[in-house]
Amino acid sequence: MKKILLALGLVFSTAVSFAQQNTFPVNGSFDTRPGMFAFTNATIVVNANQTLTNATLLIKGQTIQAVGSGLTVPKGYVVIDLKGKFIYPSLIDPFTSYGLTETAQQTRSFGGQRQSIFLSTKKGAYGWNEAIRPETYVKNIFSVDAKKADELRKIGFGSVNTINRDGIARGVSAAVTLNEGPDNSLILKDETAANYSFNKGSSQNDYPTSLMGAIALLRQTYLDAQWYGKQKEEYNISLSEFGKQQNLPQLFEVDGWANVLRADKIGKEFGKKYIIKSGGDEYQRVNEVKATGATLIIPVAFPKAYDVEDPAEARNVSLTQMKNWEMAPANPAILEKAGVKFALTTFGLENSRDFWANIRTAIENGLTEKQALQAVTEIPAAILGVADKVGSIEKGKVANFLISSDNLFKNSNIIFENWVQGKRFVVNKMDVSDLKGSYNLNIDGLGSLILKISGTNGGSAASIERTGVDSVKTTATFSRNGDWISINFNLKKNPKGDVRLSGYITSANPIAIKGESALPDGTMGRFTATYKEALKDTPKKEEPKTALAMGQMIYPFTAFGSAELARQESILIKNGTVWTNEKDGVLQNADVLLENGKIKAVGKNLSAGVAKVIDATGKHITAGIIDEHSHIAASGGINEGGQSVSAEVRTADIINSEDVNIYRQLAGGVTTSHILHGSANPIGGQSQLIKLRWGKSPEELKFAGADGFIKFALGENVKQSNFGTGARFPVTRMGVEQTFVDEFTRAKEYARALSVKGNNVRRDLELDAIVEILNNKRFITCHSYVQSEINMLIHVADSLGFKINTFTHILEGYKVADKMKAHGIAGSTFSDWWAYKNEVAEAIPYNGKIMHNVGVTTAFNSDDAEMARHLNQEAGKAVLYGNVPEEDALKFVTLNPARMLHIDDKVGSLKAGKDADVVIWSANPLSIYAKAEKTFVDGIAYWDIEKDAQLIKAQQTEKARLIQKMLESKSKGSRTQRPVGEAPRLYNCETLENYSAELTENEHAH
C-alpha cells in the first residue's frame, strides 16, 4: 500500500512543478492539482538548534504547510510513515558554477608571440578591459544541467548559488534549485551577489599580468564607477552595471589566506564587507582572518597524502605541504573555535561523493555537528538572501528536504530521498539490502578476488583477499551511500598501488554490485561482485576513539617557522668590536644596550640591570644590513608589464610574509629590504620598505612611517629588447624619453584640474602617484645602466621639475658621478657585476669607489635573493677593488642605503634612540669568513645560529613523523598523490609571468 501511495505522490509532485508556470502553454490537458504529502513519525531536524521527535511534516505543492509534533493530517494528504527515519533541510552550496558553460581561461605566458591586446575586443559599449565584466548576469545564461543536478542531489543538495567564474569583476550570481523543469522555474533569487576575484580569466587584454595589477584594476574600477555616476560625457555599460551592483551582497573569490587579507583591504578602502570564498588554509593565520570580520565560504577539498614510500621522491615534499595535508582537515574546526562565520562548499572536490567523507573527517578533527549543519543550510541561505525560502524546515518555505536513515553526519547514514521544490528524487531505496557477506569479485585486468563486507548497518567495512601464488589479504576503504558503493584497496604487488572501484547495487537477490574500476596505472575497466555466502560473525570489542594527533602550528607556515615567535627582550651585548657608523667610528671592547626595541646606549662598561647579557668578546657588532634593491617577499609577479606605465600598482599589496628568503637573509645580517617593482616598463609600480620580522603577518613587516618610493627604469628591459612582440610602446630609447615627458605633462594637467573646486575629475591612481613625485611625497629609484640614458632622465627631470632620488644598478655611474652629486642623486650599484648583457659592457668593479670618492651617497644592492645573503661580502669588495676604508665600505650596505631611503634617523648606525636592528658577527663583517650569529630586528633575535641548528633538527623530526603518518594513511587504503616539489618563485628585475594563467593551471593541477 505504501508503494502505491508513493507512486501517486510522485504523479502529484510532477504535476505541481508544471502548475507553477502560468505563462507557459501546455501541449495537452492541464493538471494543476498540487501534490499533498504528510510525512509522519519522523525525527525532524528543523534547523541546527531545533529537533522534533515523532513529528509530522506537511507539504503542498512546492511549499511547507506545517511542521511539528502532534499535528493532525488534513484530509486529502498522502501519508508516508517515516518511523525511525530523519528529515533534514536539503543542503545549499553557496559557490558553484552549476548550469553554466565553462569558459576557456588564460594559459599563455606573458611575452609570448601573440599580438599584444591593450583594449577590449568585445563588441558593444563596454569598458576598456575585458576582465571587468559586471554586465554578466547568471540569470541570463543559466541552463539546467541534469547530470550535475543529479550528482549534487545524491549527496543532499537542493539548491546552489551559481557564479560566472570569469574575470576580476564577474557580474551577478543567482540562486537556483536542483529541480527538473524549465530554467525559469528553478530560480530562487535572480540576483544574489556581485562577484569578484583576482583572476582576469578569459580576458585577452595584456593588462593585468600580475596580482598587484589585478588589485589596481579593481581599485580603479571602483573609482571610475563613482566618477561615472556623476558625469554625462561617457557611456559605458560596464561602469553603469558595476555601480548598480554596489547595493548587492559582495562575494570575492580568493585562493589563500593572504588574498583574504588583500581582498578585505580593498573592501575597507571602498566601504565594502565581502563574503569571501577562500582556499581552505585560513587556519595558518586565523587571527588575521578573524580580524577582517568577513563571512567565509570554505572548501572541504582536503589534500591527499603524498606517496612517500620512495625516499628520493619524498624529498620533493616540503614541510609546508606535509603539514598542510595534516592540518587542512582541522581548518573548519579552527575557524569555528575562533568564532569566524563560514559556510561550506563542494568546490574543488575531485568527486562530489567525497563530500560526506570529508565532512566527517572535519568533524573528527574538531568541527561540531551543529556548526557543520549550519554551514550547509542556514548560513549559506543567509549569505545568499534566501533564508526566507530555504535552509530550514519551516512553514511557508520551499519544500526542500532530505529523508535519511540516521543522523546526517554518521558514517553509516544513508540518504534515501531528496525532495526539491516538493518533487521527490529517490537517492536510495528505503528497503536497501544488508550487504554483509562474502562476494566473488571480478575486475578487468586483475582477475578474480574475494570481497568481504562486514561491520554495522548492513555493511561499513571491507577487505580483499587473493588466493594462489600471489596470495594476499588487505583492508579496503569502503563507503556506501545507499545503493552507491566505493571501494579502494592496495594489494602491494601485482599491481602495486591503489585500485579504485565505484559502482551500485544492481540486484537484491542475490546481491550483485557492478561498476567502474581504475587500476594504479590509470587503466579503466569494469567490475562485478556477486554474493557468495554469509560471513561468520566474530564480534569485535569496540575501542574508544582517540583524539587525532596533530602537529603544532608554526609561524610562518614553512620551513624554519616556529611554534613560538621570538620575543623582544632587554639585551646587553658586551665586550665586542662595535662598528657605530657614527663619529665614534669603531669601538673596541664596547657594549650595546637594547631596550624596548631601541638602542638604549652604546659605550663601554654599560650596566646590565635586568637585561640579558651576551658576551661578544672576539666578535663584531654592526647595524643591520639594508638592501636598497630587493624583490623577495612578494607574490603574484614582480612586474606589471602590460602597459608602459604602471604607477598605479603597489608592491605593498603583494607582500609575502612566508617567503623563506626572509629567514635566509636574516642569516646574512639583513634587517631591512626595499621591495621594488621590476623593470618591465619606464614607470613601474610603487615600492614597499619592509623589516625582516620573520613569522609576522604581511602588514607587520612594513616599515612604519617610511617615505613612499616608486620604480622607474631605463634600457633594454623597458623597450622589451629581449622579449615581447614589439607592439607595446615604447620600443626605442626615444620612446622611453617621450613616455616620461607625456606622463609628467599629464600629471601636471591632472593636478591643476583637481585644484579647481567643484570639478568632477576622474580619480586616476596612476597619475596620483606621479603627482606625489611632483609634490616631493614619493621618490624615484631608477633602474639604469648607460650614461646617455642617465643624462636623458636627469634632463627630463630638470625640464619638468621633478627630482630623482636614486639611480639603482647605475653601472656607468662612474661616468656621470659629478652630475649625480650636483643633483643630489644617490647611486645604488652592484659591487662587481659586468658583461651579463649588452648594456653593461662598460661596467667596471671600481664604479662604487669612484662614485663614493666624488661624494655621491653610494650603496651596494642585491637585486637577487641569493646575493642578499652575503651583502657584507659585497661591501668587502669595495675594499678589494678600490681601497675604500673599511668603515666606509660597511656603510655601503648599512648607513648609505638608509640615507637613500630617508630612514637614517631610525636605522643604519648604532646610536642611542635608533631602532635596535643589530647584528653580532663571528669576525670582521667584511670578511668572507664572518657569520651572522644573531640578527636583531627591533630588539628581537629573529636569527640565532644556535637556535637555527636546533630548529633544523626539530623539523627533520617533524618531517619524519609526518612521513610515517602518510605511510600509515596509505596502508589503510587512503588515496595518495605523487610528490611534486613547490619551488619558491625567485624574482628579479626581469621576471615576467602571467598570474591569472598560473592560478588556472594550479587549480586544474589540484
Side-chain angles (χ1 to χ4, degrees):
M1 182 64 184
K2 184 169 76 174
K3 289 185 177 179
I4 295 171
L5 291 174
L6 285 172
L8 287 170
L10 184 59
V11 171
F12 291 152
S13 63
T14 302
V16 72
S17 65
F18 287 93
Q20 306 302 316
Q21 296 150 31
N22 299 325
T23 63
F24 281 58
V26 174
N27 183 23
S29 61
F30 280 88
D31 186 346
T32 58
R33 292 172 296 170
M36 299 187 297
F37 299 94
F39 302 89
T40 62
N41 301 316
T43 299
I44 301 180
V45 181
V46 175
N47 54 48
N49 292 301
Q50 184 183 7
T51 300
L52 307 175
T53 56
N54 294 319
T56 297
L57 170 66
L58 302 177
I59 70 168
K60 182 178 181 181
Q62 296 188 2
T63 309
I64 295 171
Q65 299 298 310
V67 59
S69 299
L71 290 180
T72 301
V73 178
K75 187 177 179 180
Y77 275 72
V78 176
V79 177
I80 302 172
D81 186 356
L82 293 180
K83 186 174 183 179
K85 307 292 191 299
F86 284 67
I87 295 178
Y88 280 86
S90 292
L91 311 186
I92 305 165
D93 192 330
F95 194 87
T96 75
S97 293
Y98 168 72
L100 303 181
T101 303
E102 187 174 352
T103 307
Q105 303 288 301
Q106 278 262 357
T107 55
R108 70 178 185 89
S109 298
F110 177 73
Q113 292 307 307
R114 70 188 274 287
Q115 185 67 27
S116 294
I117 299 175
F118 302 106
L119 299 177
S120 173
T121 58
K122 184 176 179 179
K123 294 183 184 300
Y126 299 104
W128 73 274
N129 194 294
E130 292 177 19
I132 304 300
R133 49 183 70 207
E135 61 273 7
T136 304
Y137 284 77
V138 162
K139 64 184 179 183
N140 296 333
I141 56 177
F142 166 76
S143 183
V144 172
D145 182 340
K147 183 178 178 181
K148 185 64 178 178
D150 181 60
E151 181 184 309
L152 289 168
R153 286 195 302 264
K154 282 178 177 175
I155 58 173
F157 286 88
S159 53
V160 299
N161 187 39
T162 184
I163 298 159
N164 179 47
R165 293 183 61 242
D166 187 17
I168 290 171
R170 296 170 156 181
V172 179
S173 50
V176 302
T177 72
L178 297 174
N179 198 359
E180 296 171 341
D183 299 335
N184 69 306
S185 67
L186 312 184
I187 303 290
L188 273 179
K189 188 172 184 180
D190 63 346
E191 296 182 8
T192 54
N195 292 269
Y196 310 92
S197 80
F198 292 135
N199 186 344
K200 70 180 182 182
S202 64
S203 169
Q204 294 300 301
N205 290 84
D206 286 357
Y207 185 90
T209 63
S210 65
L211 172 58
M212 58 183 162
I215 292 170
L217 178 58
L218 184 55
R219 292 177 65 230
Q220 186 63 63
T221 303
Y222 273 111
L223 294 171
D224 286 350
Q226 291 170 5
W227 164 82
Y228 183 80
K230 302 172 184 176
Q231 59 83 50
K232 297 180 180 179
E233 301 165 17
E234 178 181 326
Y235 181 72
N236 186 314
I237 296 172
S238 300
L239 291 181
S240 176
E241 292 298 331
F242 191 94
K244 291 175 185 176
Q245 293 164 17
Q246 296 313 300
N247 292 325
L248 292 173
Q250 309 284 296
L251 200 162
F252 209 121
E253 179 188 2
V254 302
D255 64 327
W257 66 261
N259 278 350
V260 171
L261 305 186
R262 291 174 183 128
D264 179 67
K265 188 176 178 182
I266 296 172
K268 283 182 169 58
E269 181 179 1
F270 294 99
K272 304 298 173 185
K273 179 63 75 175
Y274 294 125
I275 301 157
I276 300 179
K277 182 271 161 189
S278 53
D281 62 354
E282 300 74 43
Y283 66 93
Q284 295 174 20
R285 292 283 180 176
V286 67
N287 292 332
E288 288 81 0
V289 170
K290 180 182 179 180
T292 67
T295 297
L296 304 182
I297 299 171
I298 62 172
V300 290
F302 305 135
K304 292 180 287 188
Y306 293 90
D307 189 344
V308 289
E309 284 190 344
D310 184 339
E313 286 209 319
R315 284 198 294 269
N316 290 327
V317 187
S318 68
L319 180 66
T320 300
Q321 290 170 299
M322 288 185 180
K323 288 187 74 67
N324 186 50
W325 163 75
E326 180 183 49
M327 300 191 77
N331 186 55
I334 291 169
L335 290 174
E336 179 187 5
K337 187 176 179 181
V340 177
K341 186 178 178 182
F342 64 87
L344 297 174
T345 176
T346 60
F347 180 85
L349 289 173
E350 289 183 10
N351 190 318
S352 62
R353 288 198 292 271
D354 293 334
F355 176 75
W356 281 111
N358 289 8
I359 289 286
R360 289 163 189 143
T361 297
I363 290 170
E364 289 172 7
N365 280 276
L367 178 67
T368 65
E369 290 186 5
K370 177 181 176 180
Q371 175 64 40
L373 183 58
Q374 286 178 326
V376 290
T377 54
E378 298 164 81
I379 294 175
I383 286 173
L384 304 176
V386 292
D388 59 330
K389 298 177 181 176
V390 290
S392 61
I393 298 177
E394 298 177 72
K395 181 180 178 180
K397 290 193 175 183
V398 177
N400 278 18
F401 60 92
L402 306 173
I403 301 173
S404 66
S405 65
D406 207 333
N407 178 317
L408 208 52
F409 301 103
K410 279 191 177 180
N411 189 50
S412 56
N413 175 62
I414 298 169
I415 296 174
F416 293 126
E417 296 178 3
N418 190 347
W419 289 66
V420 182
Q421 288 180 287
K423 182 171 182 178
R424 174 180 179 242
F425 293 93
V426 176
V427 179
N428 295 291
K429 301 167 187 172
M430 287 200 198
D431 55 353
V432 67
S433 307
D434 184 337
L435 299 184
K436 288 185 289 186
S438 179
Y439 294 76
N440 291 321
L441 175 63
N442 284 282
I443 303 173
D444 288 351
L446 205 55
S448 299
L449 303 167
I450 296 170
L451 165 66
K452 292 183 177 180
I453 299 176
S454 57
T456 58
N457 294 298
S460 59
S463 63
I464 303 290
E465 295 182 17
R466 179 166 60 194
T467 58
V469 179
D470 285 334
S471 63
V472 67
K473 293 182 181 179
T474 187
T475 302
T477 299
F478 177 86
S479 63
R480 174 185 178 186
N481 193 347
D483 290 349
W484 281 94
I485 310 294
S486 294
I487 303 171
N488 296 339
F489 60 91
N490 190 330
L491 295 174
K492 306 298 183 185
K493 57 180 180 179
N494 299 331
K496 181 180 179 182
D498 291 347
V499 176
R500 291 173 287 137
L501 308 179
S502 179
Y504 55 95
I505 301 167
T506 57
S507 170
N509 190 18
I511 300 171
I513 305 169
K514 292 182 180 179
E516 294 183 342
S517 61
L519 301 185
D521 64 0
T523 301
M524 303 299 295
R526 307 289 299 175
F527 82 90
T528 60
T530 308
Y531 185 82
K532 179 182 174 186
E533 60 188 4
L535 294 178
K536 294 178 181 178
D537 282 334
T538 52
K540 288 185 179 180
K541 184 179 178 182
E542 194 166 322
E543 297 180 5
K545 272 194 172 182
T546 56
L548 294 176
M550 189 75 69
Q552 287 183 303
M553 181 65 62
I554 58 174
Y555 302 95
F557 199 74
T558 186
F560 308 109
S562 297
E564 290 186 15
L565 296 178
R567 293 191 296 267
Q568 195 176 82
E569 300 176 278
S570 294
I571 304 285
L572 179 61
I573 308 169
K574 289 190 69 69
N575 303 320
T577 300
V578 179
W579 300 56
T580 67
N581 282 351
E582 295 289 337
K583 62 182 180 180
D584 293 333
V586 179
L587 304 177
Q588 303 297 326
N589 299 316
D591 310 335
V592 180
L593 179 61
L594 313 180
E595 196 172 284
N596 297 322
K598 299 290 183 180
I599 298 171
K600 177 77 171 180
V602 179
K604 295 191 177 186
N605 303 314
L606 298 181
S607 174
V610 296
K612 175 183 175 181
V613 177
I614 298 174
D615 183 7
T617 302
K619 304 182 189 304
H620 292 246
I621 306 162
T622 72
I625 288 173
I626 300 167
D627 190 355
E628 185 276 337
H629 187 134
S630 177
H631 299 296
I632 66 164
S635 298
I638 207 65
N639 270 298
E640 179 44 66
Q643 298 176 337
S644 58
V645 177
S646 58
E648 72 281 0
V649 308
R650 310 180 296 193
T651 56
D653 292 328
I654 58 163
I655 295 300
N656 174 17
S657 57
E658 316 297 288
D659 186 354
V660 72
N661 288 296
I662 295 172
Y663 186 75
R664 289 171 176 165
Q665 292 182 15
L666 282 163
V670 180
T671 56
T672 300
S673 295
H674 189 207
I675 312 306
L676 290 165
H677 185 277
S679 56
N681 28 25
I683 300 179
Q686 301 166 40
S687 56
Q688 177 61 49
L689 194 64
I690 65 169
K691 284 201 176 189
L692 305 193
R693 301 177 178 119
W694 182 239
K696 296 290 189 178
S697 69
E699 285 300 315
E700 291 173 310
L701 298 189
K702 294 177 180 178
F703 198 122
D707 283 342
F709 279 73
I710 189 169
K711 176 75 173 292
F712 280 26
L714 306 169
E716 295 177 14
N717 294 358
V718 302
K719 62 189 187 67
Q720 301 186 342
S721 300
N722 305 311
F723 61 91
T725 63
R728 195 204 76 181
F729 181 86
V731 294
T732 66
R733 283 174 164 81
M734 292 182 293
V736 173
E737 179 178 8
Q738 192 60 43
T739 299
F740 294 125
V741 172
D742 287 352
E743 190 70 7
F744 279 92
T745 301
R746 288 177 59 227
K748 288 183 175 185
E749 293 171 352
Y750 175 69
R752 282 194 293 271
L754 286 173
S755 67
V756 177
K757 191 175 181 180
N759 252 8
N760 180 28
V761 181
R762 173 182 170 268
R763 172 95 181 274
D764 190 317
L765 294 174
E766 175 190 311
L767 293 178
D768 281 348
I770 307 303
V771 171
E772 287 177 346
I773 297 170
L774 290 167
N775 293 335
N776 291 319
K777 292 181 179 178
R778 185 167 298 281
F779 302 90
I780 296 168
T781 291
C782 185
H783 164 113
S784 55
Y785 289 103
V786 179
Q787 176 187 17
S788 59
E789 294 181 297
I790 295 163
N791 283 328
M792 174 272 289
L793 188 58
I794 291 174
H795 174 70
V796 171
D798 287 344
S799 62
L800 289 171
F802 65 89
K803 295 178 181 178
I804 302 162
N805 190 88
T806 307
F807 278 119
T808 188
H809 302 329
I810 191 73
L811 293 186
E812 291 189 16
Y814 64 94
K815 297 181 180 179
V816 292
D818 54 343
K819 288 186 178 180
M820 291 171 65
K821 181 184 178 184
H823 285 79
I825 302 171
S828 180
T829 188
F830 295 132
S831 60
D832 60 351
W833 285 27
W834 62 80
Y836 55 90
K837 59 180 177 178
N838 185 60
E839 61 187 359
V840 298
E842 296 185 27
I844 60 173
Y846 303 97
N847 185 45
K849 174 202 169 59
I850 293 171
M851 288 195 295
H852 171 68
N853 286 353
V854 170
V856 173
T857 300
T858 304
F860 287 164
N861 65 67
S862 74
D863 189 21
D864 178 82
E866 172 58 32
M867 183 185 286
R869 298 172 68 180
H870 46 81
L871 275 173
N872 62 308
Q873 295 176 21
E874 299 301 302
K877 292 176 183 178
V879 181
L880 170 68
Y881 288 118
N883 291 320
V884 174
E886 288 191 358
E887 288 182 57
D888 288 348
L890 182 65
K891 291 177 184 177
F892 280 16
V893 293
T894 53
L895 185 58
N896 288 0
R899 288 170 174 159
M900 292 176 189
L901 296 166
H902 309 171
I903 52 173
D904 52 305
D905 60 329
K906 297 182 177 69
V907 292
S909 65
L910 301 180
K911 180 181 179 182
K914 286 195 173 186
D915 294 354
D917 294 3
V918 179
V919 186
I920 301 175
W921 302 89
S922 62
N924 183 315
L926 303 180
S927 167
I928 62 170
Y929 300 106
K931 294 180 181 178
E933 295 186 348
K934 286 183 173 61
T935 303
F936 297 89
V937 181
D938 304 320
I940 301 171
Y942 285 103
W943 163 257
D944 185 313
I945 199 168
E946 292 178 356
K947 288 184 179 178
D948 176 67
Q950 298 168 10
L951 185 59
I952 290 172
K953 187 175 180 180
Q955 294 198 341
Q956 287 172 341
T957 301
E958 175 71 345
K959 285 191 77 171
R961 179 188 71 83
L962 288 164
I963 286 171
Q964 287 303 311
K965 192 170 182 178
M966 288 184 183
L967 291 172
E968 288 172 17
S969 175
K970 181 181 177 181
S971 70
K972 292 176 181 176
S974 296
R975 283 180 288 172
T976 60
Q977 59 178 314
R978 184 177 178 182
V980 178
E982 291 184 344
R985 175 60 63 92
L986 297 178
Y987 293 124
N988 57 50
C989 272
E990 300 179 10
T991 306
L992 297 169
E993 64 181 302
N994 187 327
Y995 174 70
S996 293
E998 289 189 7
L999 280 180
T1000 302
E1001 288 161 13
N1002 289 339
E1003 182 180 310
H1004 290 164
H1006 291 91

